[in-house]
Amino acid sequence: MKKIVFIFCLGLLMVNCKSKKSIVTKKSNQTSISVEKPQEVIEEDKEKDVIEVTPKVYASSTEHYIDLHKNTAQQEMKLYGIPASITLAQGILESGSGKGRLSVEANNHFGIKCHGWTGAKIYHDDDEDQECFRKYKDAKYSFRDHSLFLTERKRYEKLFQLRKDDYKGWAKGLKSAGYATDRKYPAKLISLIERYKLYEYDKAVLGKSYKSQQVSDTSDKMVYTVSKGDTLYSISRRYNITVKELQKLNGLHDTNLSIGQVLIVQP
């Protein structure tokens, strides 16, 4: 009788253990399945993480050039005192908005010739055949060399006596100092500055000390805005003064004018 009871209890104990073990195993399987995500859900999560970036569209290569180099020009203005508007306008003009051979192959944006340069060089037809020009690893070095080129040469020192917002004075001063041989060089720079409002970058650097040339020193004087076809002679006839008087009133050293330029025509 004792043996029968013992065998019965042992069998009952084995059945209980087996049922507990199967329950634990089932829970383990349920846990592992719940952690996994279907492939469709994973792909959907990936799509949510993707950020679409729309490329900026420019109306012209010149606007693209300005956007690329405006910060560099402003930094050079802060360090060396050269108006950012002048630097950008010269870069646009000399490099063909970054598309000229010197800028593409040599990162030379200002047409600076070798002049004792010991770095890399490139040869290009300019005033003469196969003249030597400086070559840079990156465009930013061209902008820095442009700043050093102007600050380290005595013939440009008068430029730094001008106001930093006097882009017209700087444009004319560069020509007078011999930076370019083109007699229309100042007018071209001024035209670019006013067409693309490059003076706004000077304004951002100067802050409250900026003084717009369009309104400065003209509040108590009669002024005239130059339009297409105007010359100093025609304007002088209109206001019954001489060309020399016009030049003196406006600090002009030649007869070049640009559309939109504001002239004092009568004290």
Side-chain angles (χ1 to χ4, degrees):
M1 187 67 181
K2 289 182 179 181
K3 287 183 177 180
I4 293 172
V5 171
F6 175 76
I7 291 170
F8 177 77
C9 291
L10 183 61
L12 184 62
L13 181 63
M14 289 177 66
V15 169
N16 288 338
C17 288
K18 186 175 181 181
S19 62
K20 287 181 181 180
K21 187 175 181 182
S22 64
I23 292 171
V24 171
T25 304
K26 187 176 182 181
K27 286 183 179 179
S28 175
N29 288 341
Q30 287 177 343
T31 303
S32 64
I33 292 171
S34 64
V35 171
E36 294 179 357
K37 284 185 177 182
Q39 186 64 29
E40 293 81 2
V41 176
I42 294 172
E43 294 299 327
E44 185 178 341
D45 289 344
K46 286 181 179 179
E47 289 179 4
K48 289 179 181 178
D49 292 336
V50 175
I51 300 174
E52 293 185 3
V53 179
T54 305
K56 192 170 182 179
V57 179
Y58 300 94
S60 66
S61 58
T62 300
E63 288 189 5
H64 186 205
Y65 183 91
I66 293 166
D67 198 37
L68 279 175
H69 301 293
K70 62 186 180 184
N71 292 336
T72 302
Q74 287 179 304
Q75 181 65 21
E76 294 302 306
M77 181 177 181
K78 292 174 184 176
L79 293 173
Y80 295 94
I82 302 165
S85 60
I86 286 291
T87 301
L88 286 170
Q90 284 193 279
I92 293 166
L93 190 59
E94 299 287 348
S95 74
S97 296
K99 293 192 171 186
R101 177 175 177 256
L102 287 178
S103 57
V104 172
E105 297 182 19
N107 284 312
N108 189 331
H109 286 243
F110 300 93
I112 299 179
K113 297 179 182 179
C114 289
H115 299 300
W117 174 254
T118 57
K121 302 170 183 176
I122 186 172
Y123 294 88
H124 180 74
D125 292 347
D126 192 51
D127 296 326
E128 298 178 8
D129 293 341
Q130 292 299 290
E131 290 190 86
C132 181
F133 289 85
R134 303 181 182 192
K135 186 175 183 179
Y136 309 93
K137 291 182 178 180
D138 190 278
K140 64 184 179 182
Y141 299 121
S142 177
F143 279 76
R144 175 55 53 85
D145 204 27
H146 170 262
S147 297
L148 295 174
F149 188 85
L150 295 183
T151 55
E152 293 176 354
R153 283 164 174 74
K154 191 173 181 180
R155 59 182 169 142
Y156 298 114
E157 63 182 10
K158 289 184 179 180
L159 291 171
F160 295 90
Q161 297 171 11
L162 300 170
R163 295 196 321 269
K164 300 300 180 289
D165 57 356
D166 184 10
Y167 61 83
K168 293 178 182 177
W170 276 80
K172 294 168 185 174
L174 283 166
K175 170 65 175 65
S176 299
Y179 190 95
T181 55
D182 183 359
R183 64 183 184 85
K184 293 184 178 180
Y185 192 74
K188 290 178 180 178
L189 293 181
I190 293 168
S191 177
L192 285 168
I193 291 169
E194 294 179 348
R195 185 188 313 165
Y196 295 101
K197 298 183 179 179
L198 302 181
Y199 48 75
E200 292 292 343
Y201 301 113
D202 301 337
K203 185 177 181 179
V205 173
L206 295 172
K208 292 181 179 179
S209 62
Y210 177 82
K211 202 172 186 181
S212 174
Q213 293 190 63
Q214 300 299 323
V215 298
S216 64
D217 301 323
T218 62
S219 57
D220 59 343
K221 299 172 183 178
M222 188 172 179
V223 297
Y224 174 77
T225 302
V226 177
S227 59
K228 187 176 180 180
D230 282 332
T231 64
L232 278 181
Y233 178 72
S234 67
I235 296 170
S236 69
R237 289 286 299 273
R238 181 179 301 180
Y239 292 97
N240 198 28
I241 59 175
T242 66
V243 170
K244 286 187 177 180
E245 285 175 320
L246 261 181
Q247 289 176 314
K248 185 176 180 181
L249 283 171
N250 294 279
L252 302 176
H253 303 292
D254 51 41
T255 59
N256 292 325
L257 297 175
S258 58
I259 297 173
Q261 184 176 351
V262 177
L263 294 177
I264 299 168
V265 292
Q266 184 179 327

